[in-house]
Amino acid sequence: MKITLKIWRQRDAGSKGAFKEYHLDDVSRDMSFLEMLDTLNIKLIKQGELPVEFDHDCREGICGQCGVMINGIAHGPLKNTTTCQLHMRSFKDGDTIYVEPFKAAAFPIVRDLKVNRSALDHIIAAGGYVSVDTGQAPEANSIPITFEQAESAFDAAACIGCGACVASCKNSSAALFTSAKISHLSQLPQGDKETSTRVVSMVNEMEEEGFGFCTNTEACQVECPEDISVLNIARMNYEYNKARLVKK
Amino acid sequence: MIFIKNSITRKNLMAITGLFLSFFLIIHLLGNLQLLLPAEEAQLQYNSYSHLLGGNILVKLVAYVLYLCIILHTLDAIYLSYKRKQANGISYAYDRRGRASSWYSRNMMALGIIIFVFLVIHFKDFWYHYKFGELPLDANGNKDLYTLVVLAFEQLWYVILYIIAILALGYHLLHGVFSAHRTIGLYHPMYNRIVRVLGVVFAATMTLGYIIIPLFLYFNLQS
């Protein structure tokens, strides 16, 4: 396949970025999108140019490290996939592909396609955990929980924190990410104890990091690699309102 | 109000004022459907209905809540738009994110501006004239609001203006009603489905209802 790439090149957060055009002539249909970028980088290094910087790690769709805007869509044209799980067979021979980093005020650009998503870590650090003394694994049957409940909590826990929800949102809101963690923990007996303090603290952190608010356009779930439900956001709002209005 | 920085609280305010305004739309439509009666009957009934509303202390109280809701809903929208701009930072050079959501859900502010401009005209032409202007009296001695309304809808451009505004309102409601329920925390899947369907039915009913009145008056007067 012949592919024309228009890739966002930017030295650092302070400098101005722009699309730069590259041509690849021997792209295999079976390459993943990241392998295609690797091919480009090898070519650039051989030519003595700086390679395109992008984040990646596991390359099997579970770590949440990769993530760029491909043709104006987070993680590219396939719904509910990560960038590493997108393959070149999703494109046609001769296509021009625009590649841009996730953009939001809370995600400063490090270089090229790489953005700093530490803001998401700060939200988790603000309360996305259960305060227990660790030790040996407890007896599994001492805290009963139904299968359905565990599955529902797990659906929310599947969030890999890639930031596609923020990138896809017209308000740059991290509501889906934050609510997934709140929803995950509040549905489990161990986590539920701290729900009210957790939700207030995580929502406050989300605000302080400079993320926007949610207007329920539901674009986040459509582009989320894990198809995290937008109903988690409603649950977060419910828990937040309850914590502020009812609990001390 | 400017001291509330938290966006969930801000969105709650948006949702509650929005839902109140939506509720008002039902009452307003039911009242205005009297305009569809035969002309002479409509004139007397509509004018006496207007007089009844104007004189009731409870209705007055609700009217003040209504004005407050319009102001809060508008101010909150301006504040949230400002926050959105801040959170977005630099925009995308190549943006195709629109495929994941409906156009009206992304353009609530634009639709809101159309509705707001319409409201200013609507208030000036009817509310202001009725409250502070000089109106002739009908056979029962009530201010003749009916004739004022009917004459206004004789003009085609006025009818078109109304239809555009009502369509904007319809789309605003189509997203707004279900979104408001989400914002205040309705997370159960079953109730969400119900609210979604009822939201569509509500938006469609309001749009049709409010469009029929100016069209009926215009064509009735033409014939």
Side-chain angles (χ1 to χ4, degrees):
Chain A
M1 292 170 78
K2 283 189 179 171
I3 294 289
T4 303
L5 290 162
K6 285 185 188 285
I7 298 183
W8 191 263
R9 303 299 307 255
Q10 186 170 339
R11 182 169 281 278
D12 51 42
S15 40
K16 211 172 169 319
F19 282 122
K20 201 169 172 199
E21 195 170 303
Y22 299 98
H23 297 275
L24 285 177
D25 294 335
D26 47 356
V27 176
S28 157
R29 294 180 77 249
D30 299 324
M31 277 180 176
S32 75
F33 194 83
L34 297 185
E35 283 165 346
M36 185 274 296
L37 287 180
D38 291 337
T39 313
L40 172 72
N41 277 345
I42 291 168
K43 191 177 153 188
L44 290 178
I45 290 166
K46 280 183 181 165
Q47 289 170 357
E49 289 180 47
L50 280 173
V52 177
E53 293 227 11
F54 60 91
D55 266 326
H56 64 105
D57 193 10
C58 75
R59 296 204 176 198
E60 53 188 22
I62 56 166
C63 76
Q65 268 299 303
C66 65
V68 287
M69 298 299 280
I70 302 165
N71 283 342
I73 296 163
H75 295 300
L78 276 189
K79 287 182 183 171
N80 307 126
T81 32
T82 54
T83 302
C84 65
Q85 294 303 298
L86 176 71
H87 289 78
M88 294 313 291
R89 52 181 165 268
S90 294
F91 301 93
K92 290 195 299 288
D93 188 28
D95 269 2
T96 299
I97 306 171
Y98 288 82
V99 193
E100 227 177 319
F102 286 172
K103 282 178 182 170
F107 287 171
I109 292 182
V110 178
R111 194 185 187 107
D112 298 336
L113 305 175
K114 192 185 254 181
V115 294
N116 185 347
R117 285 167 291 180
S118 303
L120 297 182
D121 299 333
H122 300 157
I123 295 175
I124 295 295
Y129 49 79
V130 176
S131 308
V132 285
D133 294 327
T134 51
Q136 288 209 322
E139 156 58 34
N141 295 318
S142 59
I143 307 173
I145 175 164
T146 62
F147 174 76
E148 289 77 13
Q149 189 75 27
E151 280 297 308
S152 174
F154 187 71
D155 284 343
C159 168
I160 55 176
C162 65
C165 47
V166 178
S168 300
C169 176
K170 78 175 186 78
N171 310 308
S172 302
S173 169
L176 191 69
F177 169 83
T178 310
S179 67
K181 191 48 64 197
I182 288 163
S183 190
H184 157 211
L185 295 175
S186 72
Q187 290 182 76
L188 296 172
Q190 298 93 332
D192 187 38
K193 302 283 183 289
E194 291 170 292
T195 295
S196 54
T197 49
R198 176 185 305 116
V199 68
V200 172
S201 159
M202 285 180 77
V203 166
N204 287 345
E205 186 61 31
M206 178 171 76
E207 307 263 323
E208 274 174 33
E209 293 293 336
F211 290 106
F213 51 92
C214 173
T215 55
N216 301 306
T217 68
E218 302 186 336
C220 51
Q221 183 177 354
V222 175
E223 308 299 3
C224 171
E226 298 297 328
D227 196 17
I228 302 290
S229 168
V230 285
L231 291 181
N232 288 314
I233 300 174
R235 188 188 280 266
M236 170 175 80
N237 294 340
Y238 167 78
E239 293 292 359
Y240 184 82
N241 291 337
K242 194 171 78 171
R244 292 297 294 263
L245 294 171
V246 185
K247 299 261 171 72
K248 267 200 281 186
Chain B
M1 192 185 89
I2 46 166
F3 302 111
I4 307 168
K5 289 264 185 325
N6 181 289
S7 68
I8 294 188
T9 313
R10 283 279 180 167
K11 285 289 296 172
N12 279 329
L13 183 67
M14 202 73 184
I16 292 164
T17 52
L19 288 175
F20 181 81
L21 293 172
S22 303
F23 177 70
F24 165 76
L25 285 177
I26 305 174
I27 310 294
H28 193 51
L29 179 64
L30 288 176
N32 284 356
L33 284 177
Q34 295 173 88
L35 291 166
L36 303 183
L37 292 167
E40 277 170 32
E41 201 183 337
Q43 183 184 22
L44 293 180
Q45 191 170 327
Y46 190 70
N47 289 342
S48 83
Y49 166 75
S50 306
H51 182 75
L52 182 82
L53 289 189
N56 191 314
I57 181 79
L58 225 100
V59 176
K60 265 187 184 161
L61 212 67
V62 177
Y64 288 127
V65 176
L66 179 78
Y67 306 148
L68 187 73
C69 277
I70 296 174
I71 294 167
L72 288 178
H73 200 75
T74 311
L75 290 179
D76 213 21
I78 296 168
Y79 175 83
L80 287 170
S81 288
Y82 163 72
K83 289 283 281 183
R84 188 195 69 224
K85 269 206 149 48
Q86 266 190 332
N88 279 347
I90 18 165
S91 50
Y92 288 103
Y94 190 89
D95 194 346
R96 289 289 180 277
R97 293 179 295 166
R99 74 152 188 189
S101 54
S102 55
W103 69 269
Y104 50 87
S105 75
R106 294 193 303 275
N107 292 293
M108 289 296 274
M109 186 61 177
L111 293 169
I113 290 170
I114 298 175
I115 297 166
F116 187 80
V117 170
F118 163 78
L119 277 182
V120 172
I121 299 170
H122 190 59
F123 265 71
K124 189 207 141 265
D125 286 354
F126 301 125
W127 178 84
Y128 182 81
H129 268 286
Y130 188 76
K131 284 245 170 187
F132 306 105
E134 288 286 320
L135 281 181
L137 303 180
D138 68 4
N140 286 349
N142 293 320
K143 279 185 174 182
D144 194 5
L145 183 64
Y146 175 81
T147 307
L148 184 72
V149 173
V150 167
L151 289 180
F153 289 116
E154 254 184 349
Q155 309 154 80
L156 181 66
W157 71 271
Y158 205 73
V159 174
I160 293 171
L161 176 91
Y162 258 65
I163 291 175
I164 293 171
I166 298 304
L167 285 176
L169 175 72
Y171 280 111
H172 200 76
L173 292 174
L174 196 55
H175 179 69
V177 171
F178 110 89
S179 176
H181 285 84
R182 287 272 181 85
T183 299
I184 54 177
L186 186 82
Y187 67 84
H188 194 291
M190 183 182 74
Y191 296 118
N192 264 286
R193 279 197 293 276
I194 294 173
V195 165
R196 191 140 229 180
V197 173
L198 288 181
V200 175
V201 172
F202 176 73
T205 313
M206 290 300 119
T207 311
L208 277 178
Y210 280 109
I211 281 182
I212 282 173
I213 297 169
L215 277 181
F216 174 83
L217 291 179
Y218 179 74
F219 287 110
N220 216 21
L221 290 166
Q222 295 298 312
S223 62

